[in-house]
Every structure is written in C-alpha cells, then in structure tokens.
Amino acid sequence: MLFGEFDRAIAEARRAVELDPLSLIINADLAEGYFYQRRYDEAIEQFRRTLEIVAQVNQDAVVPNEFSVLHSIELNLNPRGEGDLEPGCLAKLDLVLASFHFPLRLKDDQTGRYLAALRNPVVHILGHPRGRIYNYRAGLSADWSRVFAEASSLDKAVEIDCFPDRQDLNVELLKLARAAGTRVSLGTDAHHPWQLAFIEFGLAAAWQAKLPPERVVNFMTMAEIRRWISGLRRQP
Ligand SMILES: [Zn+2]
C-alpha cells in the first residue's frame, strides 16, 4: 500500500485483483486502501469479499481439513488493554492477536497494561509485546514474569514477532515465558510474501530459549487450535 498516494494504490490493487482474484493478501490490501481513503462502504464490501474467499479456499482444499486458512486479525489495543473493534465482530474470527501500537516510548513500568490486555476476553495472543524496534524504539518495560504468569493462568499466548529488527519477544524474555509455562506464538509480521522466511529467526529464538514444542502455537494441529480458542471463549 502506497501511503499518501491512495488513488494510485487503489488502482494498482484493483488491477492486481483482476490478475490474481483469489489472492487473500491483495484483496485485503484493496479493502485497506478503501478504508484509508474513508470509502467505508466499499471497504466493508471488499473485506466481506475477502472473508468469502477464505471460506472458498478452505472449501476447495484438495484434502479437506488438511489445509485451512484461519480468519484472524491483529487488533489494536489502547493503553487500558481495550481493542478498537466491537467484540461482536471479533467473535466471528477464529483467532485474535492483539497488540499495543501507541504509546510505546514510556519509560515507567507498564505491567498494568499487559495484565489488562491479557484479561480482555477478546484477546487470544499478545502481539509483539515490548513494541521494540532495533535502532528506533527501545520498547516498554514490565514485570515480565508477572505478565507471563498471568498469560499462563488465563491460557493465553504471547508472540515472538520474528521480524529481524523486532525479535520481540527476545531469547531472554522467552526463557522467562518458558519458566512460567506460557504458550508462545510465532508470527513474521510479514508485509511481503518474501518476509515469511523471517519465521526462522523466531524458530531460532524459540530453540535457544528451549521452549517445549507443545507450548508453541504454530506446532498445534488445527483441531488443537480450535479447541484452545473455544476453551478461551468459554472462560467466564
Ligand atoms: Zn503490530
């Protein structure tokens, strides 16, 4: 998406949809373009169409249930740990990863906001927990053992954002997560298909921290993931 040049970006995305009508990334990108241009009706329609394609892809899988695309989202959280989307629309998704994007340059302890985020019933995975980016932002501080203990007791997961300049969580914090028995989910934060290869940085960190494979969300079967999420949704 070309920020600031939305007319051009939308025209390019529409052309890309013509060339590759079943691409989930291109279809979602076009919807995002409409959203940023405040063409909300078209954005809703395009997001709806993208979700229909997910259903179609899952239905057309060569071996049924062998390959499935999950409906998911990265939900933006405010410092009180609240998401900026209605819980009703999130309930239709298979999985909700939620992250803080602002403010991320505070120096004082932020344990409270992490505990609030984990206690938010719509949140399943806490994304790029520290908000750290190499040479750009140091990331937030917290009593991480307490955060991971809370995640474990609620059976929620914390993320390794595998993007090289993020590495968030890092090996040191992953060792604390391992000690607390917390589930960990690996995500690439990819904005282009070639960046999916960054998963290897996260795998290396998980290996160095000696995370047990059964606590890694990416190693769960689809049935296990669905059971885990429906268990979380049944929590009072
Ligand atoms: Zn994010």
Side-chain angles (χ1 to χ4, degrees), residues 12-60:
E12 279 185 16
R14 288 172 71 114
R15 173 84 183 116
V17 166
E18 276 171 29
L19 294 171
D20 192 356
L22 294 180
S23 163
L24 298 171
I25 291 173
I26 294 170
N27 274 280
D29 228 24
L30 175 58
E32 206 180 341
Y34 287 137
F35 175 83
Y36 282 118
Q37 237 196 2
R38 299 172 190 230
R39 291 161 67 174
Y40 296 126
D41 289 344
E42 286 160 285
I44 290 168
E45 186 49 41
Q46 183 59 30
F47 275 125
R48 197 168 278 147
R49 203 183 129 53
T50 308
L51 291 176
E52 283 166 13
I53 296 171
V54 174
Q56 194 62 48
V57 167
N58 288 340
Q59 210 174 51
D60 293 349

Side-chain angles (χ1 to χ4, degrees), residues 4 7 31 34 36 50-51 77 79 89 101 106 119-120 138 142 180 194-195 201 214 220 228-229:
D7 284 337
Y34 287 137
Y36 282 118
T50 308
L51 291 176
L77 294 172
C89 68
H101 295 98
L106 304 178
R119 289 169 189 161
N120 181 339
W194 63 270
Q195 294 172 345
F201 291 102
E214 59 276 13
M220 293 163 80
W228 170 48
I229 298 300

Side-chain angles (χ1 to χ4, degrees), residues 113-180:
R113 83 154 85 171
Y114 290 108
L115 300 181
L118 289 164
R119 289 169 189 161
N120 181 339
V122 303
V123 175
H124 304 137
I125 302 172
L126 187 63
H128 51 70
R130 293 176 61 211
R132 171 255 194 198
I133 296 179
Y134 175 73
N135 216 16
Y136 174 70
R137 196 170 59 209
L140 298 171
S141 315
D143 179 344
W144 291 107
S145 292
R146 206 170 148 215
V147 172
F148 299 145
E150 184 71 12
S152 290
S153 78
L154 293 165
D155 198 24
K156 302 207 172 173
V158 292
E159 187 193 43
I160 305 177
D161 183 315
C162 308
F163 215 88
D165 61 3
R166 287 187 177 259
Q167 300 184 44
D168 178 10
L169 299 165
N170 62 14
V171 175
E172 192 188 328
L173 292 179
L174 288 169
K175 286 179 181 169
L176 296 179
R178 182 196 66 199

Side-chain angles (χ1 to χ4, degrees), residues 35 73-78 81-87 89-90 99 101 120 122:
F35 175 83
I73 197 167
E74 181 184 14
L75 176 69
N76 185 49
L77 294 172
N78 68 24
E82 300 158 340
D84 59 3
L85 287 171
E86 292 290 329
C89 68
L90 297 171
S99 319
H101 295 98
N120 181 339
V122 303

